[in-house]
Amino acid sequence: MASVHESLYFNPMMTNGVVHANVFGIKDWVTPYKIAVLVLLNEMGRTGEGAVSLMERRRLNQLLLPLLQGPDITLSKLYKLIEDSCPQLANSVQIREEEVSCSGPLSQKQAEFFLSQQASLLKNDETKALTPASLQKELNNLLKFNPDFAEAHYLSYLNNLRVQDVFSSTHSLLHYFDRLILTGAESKSNGEEGYGRSLRYAALNLAALHCRFGHYQQAELALQEAIRIAQESNDHVCLQHCLSWLYVLGQKRSDSYVLLEHSVKKAVHFGLPYLASLGIQSLVQQRAFAGKTANKLMDALKDSDLLHWKHSLSELIDISIAQKTAIWRLYGRSTMALQQAQMLLSMNSLESVNSGVQQNNTESFAVALCHLAELHAEQGCFAAASEVLKHLKERFPPNSQHAQLWMLCDQKIQFDRAMNDGKFHLADSLVTGITALNSIEGVYRKAVVLQAQNQMSEAHKLLQKLLSYCEKLKNTEMVISVLLSVAELYWRSASPTIAMPVLLQALALSKEYRLQYLASETVLNLAFAQLILGIPEQALTLLHMAIEPILADGAILDKGRAMFLVAKCQVASAASYEPPKRAEALEAAIENLNEAKNYFAKVDCKERIRDVVYFQARLYHALGKTQERNRCAMLFRQLHQELPSHGVPLINHL
């Protein structure tokens, strides 16, 4: 679940999408670009209505404003823009084939328009902004003629954040506030208060920057400085921002929710709906991890949604819906998660759209799309998942700040497919990429690969280390997953009795934190352990408790595992039945095996299909159905030659 405090970065250069730039005092330069625009204007005036259609003239009129206000561009790019709007007029501005661009400084209006446009694009649709290198080149050129242009330094800071450049982003941020103070932009309008305001917000932004890069000690020192200056100036707004960041820095502490509740109350008191909403959503996130019921969490989010709609906070509406998607997935309700993700994708932003900006190209949008891709992959719809990932890659290129979200999602889906297909060497090669993006997830999946390769000792050591680490971090979801893997190690090592207390511990945690799906999966594992211990009747009773949530919201692979286990328990229970009743039980088991095989086929899990047809062949043999037995035996032989056994008994596998 992504942090909701990424939006707490103070952006003093943006007010309703407008950049407050310094007055340059520079007159416009005569450049080839400006001459070409004048030629275009002249040709538009001379061209009659018959030569240019109404739609072409409208497109030209829409094109003129950014051409006049924006910075100079190369003539080939200008020609392409005009040709797209009106091909008839494109030749009038075409010039011998040399690329000529403006080498002089931007005027005041051009600088304001350029910074406003790029800042808006970085916030709402990063793919349409200049690339990090190109934007930095333009900013350096701008600062070369006016090094005291504070807002250009701030945009440079935002640009460096895109590429995770901690040194350059810190350098640009400090330069921004230095120039703001030196030029007197704040102090002229607000007196000495303006000077102090710059200092405290400089410290606050520095704390946010260090926190983003994981430098928590430096972040705390900067935050203390911001609090001290804000208290001296009695700046309640700045103090509220500081209080929110205090929670971010101390959210691992047991009493952090008290700090957050205080922050929400103060934000409401001082009329700061943005901070109040972020605080509510952080509380919801914290209480979701603490195991609170879903209805209470949704009621709290409903209250925050009222604030969003009342104050038209469209960005927080998106965050709230993405939060709901993550909460439903955490609780194992995939249908509800899918509904919330689709709701976010179908929403239109409340903000005005300028220059073709896609308002939903934000972190919330990326999170929702990643959930959508994973949900489709879980149901075996890999083509649909690939389409979603393709769309993510187009909207969030590898150099964009939210690209890591889809990179991790893509790697996880590829890993699961490789494991399902028995290609453990391929899955192992993907572990490195997963670890680089999420170390905990990477270590866990490395242990899964080792376990599949029958390297039990190495897998057990890795899982024990990961378990201790996750318990310290209070990462309950991963703790339960690790416990389930440890239990599987025990029964695959012919020690099911040792697995039982581990599974009971996982079940207790699942129920305590209301992780319904993990609880159902744990019950599934408990039933399998009971089957191995020779008590299939009790295993069937347990299965009836777990199978409904799995069939309703579970992944296709887990549905197949559940039906396969039901069939195994039915066969084991039928051993003591009279012949007619026993035959009836075996027929029912075969039907369940067919259903399990269909589930496994959807995710192309050939290893488990092999186990199913082996089991079916034995049942058909017991029933005297030779033709069906031979068909299953032939299919088993084909799969067994393609996927040789790794030394695990075929029947003794969940």
Side-chain angles (χ1 to χ4, degrees), residues 69 86 295 361 422 478 513 546 550 590:
Q69 291 184 339
C86 181
N295 62 321
N361 274 21
M478 183 55 74
Y513 289 91
I550 290 175
I590 289 173

Side-chain angles (χ1 to χ4, degrees), residues 76 80 195 211 241 245 257 325 330 413 443 466 471 651:
S76 61
K80 180 69 168 59
Y195 176 82
C211 189
H241 279 276
W245 279 107
Y257 73 95
T325 305
L330 179 70
I413 291 174
V443 172
L466 183 59
E471 285 175 340
I651 295 300

Side-chain angles (χ1 to χ4, degrees), residues 360-391:
N360 280 335
N361 274 21
T362 57
E363 184 183 21
S364 305
F365 190 74
V367 168
L369 279 173
C370 287
H371 281 303
L372 204 59
E374 290 180 351
L375 287 167
H376 277 92
E378 285 177 0
Q379 298 306 316
C381 304
F382 296 116
S386 297
E387 285 297 317
V388 175
L389 285 168
K390 180 182 176 183
H391 186 69

Side-chain angles (χ1 to χ4, degrees), residues 619-636:
L619 295 183
Y620 280 129
H621 180 74
L623 291 170
K625 296 185 176 183
T626 308
Q627 186 176 357
E628 290 85 351
R629 179 202 65 189
N630 292 342
R631 186 180 67 249
C632 290
M634 182 180 67
L635 182 57
F636 166 76

